[in-house]
């Protein structure tokens, strides 16, 4: 039974009571429950809030907002907005932990500043202003995007835990929170069903659970009309159900590991809140593919903070993720390896972004007491629907080589033109790499997306065929993708405008790549490399990896040295992962066969 059917199958009285008692049943008590909060003092959270108080609040400026249209820069505006949200969230947490009126006032200041922002929408999403030919958002026609959802989430959870303190300290603020939530989020959500992230056209991505989850909190904690509250929640459940049914049965995520936290993990958080307010009556955790989705992080883990990254995702993502979400998910499906994957990171989840997630983590005793354990690191993981194989030399260990091979197509969410590409990591550290996500700008999701070098196939570990790169679009895809032991045999003929190409990638004691093609085609191999080349000669390239190990690439010496070029990395996100430069090896291949061995 689907999530939506489970919700509708509940007795109407059970649903009504769940919505009416949501504040109590959420599992997060308010500030007056000192017997709960006084024992949970988080030095890191309070210190962060205290440090914030010594600095002025960040300003949001029209000139920064307008830069999206002027020069494509998004971060000039999104940075201060994000910092304002984080500072308000830190103040709310410090207030509830300490009951100190200074932090209640700090939280109230942040909440009112958020209410007085002209728009909660990020400039990159303000299509209403773009349609008017303007760069100033109109408060009368709010756009419901991720920015608006992130903002209303802070208002909703702050109201839940600080309600009585705000009434005593700043009477009237809570009414303002409700007015702004209604005008900017709840009313647009109810009255306009054209939002692309609803997925009514069948195109589903992480915006769906990300926004729906925050709208759910807003409805439960800020909407006082029980009829409207029920209408919003019914629509949220329908939207979450649509997203879940669109996900692959193998538990894969075409948006990659980094966006998994803002896709499937957002879904889990929203379902958990619904399950809590129904006192477990909803019990969604056995609905497919939820159990498989929970296993995705362990399947993508290379170890030591490195992950298999496809599409827009860093290979070394921020370790401060809401691992408690995954731990509770593992508990609910009874999967010890899922719990172990989360517990291995328990000490790295202290600066979680998102007020609701942070508050839920603070009252999860089982999570707070979990023992830190080693990563599960499965020997091999095969996701047939998204066509991704991850296999390592030894299960449970980062030692030696790990290989990831990707099929799929070139119209995936956050797509890179990378059909048939692979990642080879030595002792967990990628050597033959996927560059991942650059800093987003105005062209990142425009028709100019493939002007960005990191998303083009020539900067992935795939060849150029007959002088042509892979192109964007669902027609460019892997054909037969056959897993054979610790490797893959994949037909790449349909990934290129011309040619007949087949690739076999295997892992034994080394990584071996064999490309074959029909006579008459011209194939030029491309390999993107992290680390420092230390020797280069015909048929051989030696690299000192970012982890300090030595990797050696070998090919037919008759093909010469190839062209080894160094590319300066000047993008801040990419530089944080790969350092100041990466290298690319280009080799004109033989008549109809090329072999590369990596040891």
């Amino acid at each position: 039974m689907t999530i939506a059917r489970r919700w509708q199958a509940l007795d109407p009285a059970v649903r009504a009571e769940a919505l009416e008692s949501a504040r109590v049943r959420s599992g997060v008590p308010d500030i007056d429950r000192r017997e709960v909060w006084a024992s949970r003092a988080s030095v890191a959270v309070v210190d962060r809030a205290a440090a914030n108080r010594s600095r002025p609040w960040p300003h949001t400026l029209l000139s920064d907002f307008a830069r999206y249209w002027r020069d494509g820069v998004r971060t000039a505006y999104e940075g201060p907005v994000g910092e304002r949200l984080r500072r308000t969230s830190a103040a709310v947490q410090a207030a509830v932990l300490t009951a100190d009126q200074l932090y209640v006032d700090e939280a109230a200041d942040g909440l009112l500043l958020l209410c007085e922002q002209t728009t909660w929408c990020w400039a990159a999403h303000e299509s209403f202003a773009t349609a008017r030919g303007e760069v100033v958002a109109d408060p009368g026609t709010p756009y419901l995007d991720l920015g608006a959802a992130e903002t209303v989430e802070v208002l909703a959870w702050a109201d839940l835990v600080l309600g009585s303190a705000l009434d005593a300290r700043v009477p009237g603020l809570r009414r303002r929170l409700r007015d702004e939530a209604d005008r900017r989020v709840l009313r647009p959500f109810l009255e306009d069903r054209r939002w692309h992230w609803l997925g009514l056209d069948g195109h589903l991505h992480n915006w769906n659970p990300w926004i729906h989850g925050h709208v759910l909190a807003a409805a439960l904690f800020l909407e006082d009309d029980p009829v409207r509250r029920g209408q919003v929640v019914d629509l949220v459940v329908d939207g979450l159900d649509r997203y879940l049914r669109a996900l692959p049965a193998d538990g894969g995520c075409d948006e990659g590991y980094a966006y998994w936290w803002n896709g499937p993990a957002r879904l889990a958080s929203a379902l958990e809140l619904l399950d809590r307010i129904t006192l477990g009556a909803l019990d969604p955790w056995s609905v497919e593919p939820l159990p498989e989705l929970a296993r995705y992080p362990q399947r993508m883990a290379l170890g030591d903070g490195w992950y298999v990254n496809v599409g827009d995702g860093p290979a070394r993502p921020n370790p401060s993720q809401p691992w408690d979400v995954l731990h509770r998910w593992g508990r609910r499906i009874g999967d010890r390896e899922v719990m172990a994957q989360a517990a291995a990171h328990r000490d790295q989840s202290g600066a979680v972004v998102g007020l609701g997630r942070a508050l839920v983590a603070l009252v999860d005793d089982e999570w707070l007491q979990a023992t830190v354990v080693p990563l599960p690191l499965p020997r091999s993981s095969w996701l047939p629907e998204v066509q991704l194989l991850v296999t390592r030399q030894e299960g449970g260990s980062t030692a030696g080589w790990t290989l990831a091979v990707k099929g799929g197509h070139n119209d995936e969410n956050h797509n890179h033109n990378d059909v048939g590409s692979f990642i080879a990591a030595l002792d967990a550290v990628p050597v033959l790499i996927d560059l991942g996500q650059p800093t987003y700008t105005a062209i990142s999701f425009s028709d100019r997306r493939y002007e960005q070098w990191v998303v083009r196939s020539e900067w992935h570990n795939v060849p150029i065929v007959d002088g042509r790169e892979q192109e964007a679009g669902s027609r460019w895809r892997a054909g037969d993708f056959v897993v054979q032991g610790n490797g893959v045999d994949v037909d790449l003929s349909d990934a290129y405008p011309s040619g007949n190409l087949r690739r076999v990638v295997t892992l034994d004691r080394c990584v071996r790549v064999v490309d074959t093609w029909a006579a008459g085609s011209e194939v030029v191999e491309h390999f993107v490399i992290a680390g420092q080349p230390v020797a280069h000669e015909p048929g051989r390239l030696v690299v000192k990896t970012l982890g300090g190990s030595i990797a050696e690439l070998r090919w037919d010496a008759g093909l010469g040295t190839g062209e080894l070029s160094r590319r300066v990395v000047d993008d801040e996100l990419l530089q944080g992962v790969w350092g100041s430069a990466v290298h690319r090896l280009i080799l004109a291949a033989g008549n109809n066969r090329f072999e590369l061995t990596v040891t």
Side-chain angles (χ1 to χ4, degrees):
M1 187 183 294
T2 67
I3 300 295
R5 288 180 179 176
R6 286 180 182 231
W7 176 255
Q8 293 301 327
L10 294 175
D11 185 287
V14 171
R15 288 204 308 274
E17 181 61 25
L19 300 182
E20 185 64 29
S21 304
R23 295 178 71 90
V24 174
R25 293 181 176 184
S26 68
V28 178
D30 66 24
I31 191 172
D32 296 329
R33 293 282 302 279
R34 300 317 304 158
E35 75 279 9
V36 176
W37 290 114
S39 63
R40 298 170 188 276
S42 170
V43 174
V45 169
V46 176
D47 283 352
R48 190 160 53 248
N52 286 339
R53 292 188 64 248
S54 67
R55 297 188 291 267
W57 280 89
H59 293 287
T60 55
L61 302 176
L62 175 59
S63 55
D64 290 335
F65 191 77
R67 286 193 65 182
Y68 174 76
W69 290 273
R70 292 173 178 173
D71 57 18
V73 172
R74 296 175 48 159
T75 53
Y77 180 80
E78 290 177 17
V81 168
E83 181 55 34
R84 183 178 282 181
L85 290 169
R86 288 187 291 272
R87 178 165 173 172
T88 304
S89 297
V92 172
Q93 292 174 69
V96 76
L97 287 168
T98 66
D100 189 327
Q101 296 299 324
L102 290 175
Y103 293 123
V104 175
D105 285 349
E106 169 88 349
D109 286 342
L111 292 168
L112 188 61
L113 284 171
L114 293 172
C115 287
E116 293 188 341
Q117 278 180 205
T118 296
T119 178
W120 290 347
C121 179
W122 296 340
H125 306 153
E126 235 306 353
S127 60
F128 290 170
T130 301
R132 294 191 301 269
E134 299 175 352
V135 299
V136 177
D138 179 2
T141 56
Y143 193 95
L144 180 48
D145 76 323
L146 295 177
E150 288 281 280
T151 306
V152 83
E153 186 246 5
V154 173
L155 271 58
W157 288 95
D159 186 87
L160 175 69
V161 295
L162 297 185
S164 61
L166 295 176
D167 281 343
R169 197 76 176 166
V170 282
L173 178 59
R174 296 179 71 200
R175 177 177 57 78
R176 178 71 184 275
L177 301 184
R178 281 159 173 73
D179 289 345
E180 297 297 337
D182 179 69
R183 179 173 65 84
R184 302 180 192 237
V185 173
L186 296 175
R187 195 184 309 161
F189 179 73
L190 277 172
E191 296 178 358
D192 190 341
R193 306 302 292 164
R194 295 173 299 170
W195 307 109
H196 70 85
W197 46 266
L198 295 174
L200 298 175
D201 61 355
H203 181 207
L204 280 299
H205 50 82
N206 68 82
W207 280 40
N208 178 292
W210 196 341
I211 296 178
H212 276 114
H214 293 337
V215 170
L216 174 64
L220 296 178
F221 306 148
L222 296 176
E223 177 54 69
D224 294 326
D225 182 339
V227 174
R228 292 185 84 237
R229 187 190 308 128
Q231 291 172 338
V232 172
V233 174
D234 283 348
L235 288 173
V236 165
V237 172
D238 180 68
L240 294 172
D241 181 79
R242 191 180 308 115
Y243 175 75
L244 179 60
R245 287 186 285 111
L247 293 173
D250 58 20
C253 179
D254 71 350
E255 296 181 272
Y257 168 80
Y259 275 102
W260 181 92
W261 287 105
N262 285 320
R266 293 282 185 184
L267 171 69
S269 294
L271 293 178
E272 181 183 1
L273 182 54
L274 286 166
D275 200 31
R276 286 184 181 211
I277 67 172
T278 62
L279 302 181
L282 182 63
D283 189 23
W285 305 105
S286 63
V287 176
E288 297 295 343
L290 278 169
E292 292 298 328
L293 285 168
R295 299 174 183 122
Y296 186 80
Q298 64 182 276
R299 291 167 171 169
M300 296 301 107
L302 296 171
D304 295 334
W306 294 94
Y307 282 80
V308 173
N309 62 314
V310 295
D312 281 345
R316 197 170 181 81
N318 186 342
S320 271
Q321 300 294 348
W323 292 101
D324 61 293
V325 172
L326 185 62
H327 196 262
R328 288 191 298 277
W329 198 344
R331 276 142 54 187
R332 283 162 173 78
I333 63 175
D335 192 314
R336 293 189 177 275
E337 287 200 342
V338 171
M339 293 168 63
Q341 179 72 19
H345 299 84
R346 187 177 62 80
D347 294 338
Q348 298 175 318
S349 59
V352 172
V353 174
L355 180 56
R357 283 174 159 180
L359 291 169
V360 171
L362 283 171
V363 295
D364 184 353
D365 289 330
E366 195 165 346
W367 165 247
L368 295 175
Q369 296 165 13
T371 301
V372 177
V373 296
L375 290 170
L377 297 175
R379 172 71 174 80
S380 186
S381 298
W382 162 228
L383 303 175
E385 290 199 43
V386 295
Q387 294 188 330
L388 182 63
L389 173 73
V390 182
T391 185
R392 53 179 32 93
Q393 283 185 274
E394 184 179 348
S397 172
T398 60
W401 287 100
T402 301
L403 171 68
V405 188
K406 180 187 180 301
H409 60 82
N410 282 338
D411 193 30
E412 295 165 340
N413 290 312
H414 296 276
N415 180 68
H416 289 202
N417 289 340
D418 59 358
V419 175
S421 191
F422 68 95
I423 296 167
L426 179 59
D427 302 332
V429 181
V431 182
L432 292 163
I433 67 172
D434 186 310
L435 287 156
Q437 178 196 337
T439 300
Y440 287 154
T441 68
I443 73 170
S444 298
F445 300 101
S446 73
D447 56 7
R448 297 177 57 198
R449 176 176 176 81
Y450 296 93
E451 294 178 15
Q452 302 173 104
W453 64 287
V454 298
V455 305
R456 299 173 68 101
S457 70
E458 67 174 2
W459 279 97
H460 288 79
N461 298 316
V462 292
I464 300 294
V465 179
D466 294 332
R468 302 281 295 276
E469 292 183 64
Q470 293 182 17
E471 298 179 12
S474 60
R475 62 175 290 195
W476 310 109
R477 59 179 56 241
D480 295 334
F481 193 101
V482 181
V483 174
Q484 299 176 333
N486 295 328
V488 163
D489 183 338
V490 56
D491 183 356
L492 298 180
S493 302
D494 290 337
Y496 292 90
S498 68
N500 188 328
L501 179 69
R502 193 162 202 95
R503 166 165 280 186
V504 177
V505 192
T506 55
L507 171 64
D508 190 0
R509 287 170 294 182
C510 64
V511 174
R512 179 171 285 107
V513 182
V514 178
D515 288 343
T516 54
W517 56 92
S521 284
E522 178 183 298
V523 171
V524 179
E525 300 285 352
H526 287 60
F527 302 104
V528 185
I529 301 161
Q532 182 60 44
V534 295
H536 185 207
E537 59 191 33
R540 179 172 176 264
L541 174 65
V542 180
V543 178
K544 184 177 181 180
T545 75
L546 296 177
S549 300
I550 297 297
E552 185 171 323
L553 286 65
R554 286 189 173 273
W555 60 93
D556 181 359
L559 298 177
T561 61
E563 175 192 337
L564 181 64
S565 60
R566 180 179 185 271
R567 172 122 190 187
V568 172
V569 177
D570 55 7
D571 180 282
E572 184 176 352
L573 286 183
L574 296 173
Q575 194 174 80
V577 177
W578 306 117
S580 59
V582 294
H583 292 78
R584 181 173 61 172
L585 176 65
I586 300 177
L587 291 159
N591 290 330
N592 60 358
R593 186 179 189 276
F594 172 84
E595 180 172 335
L596 177 77
T597 302
V598 189
T599 57

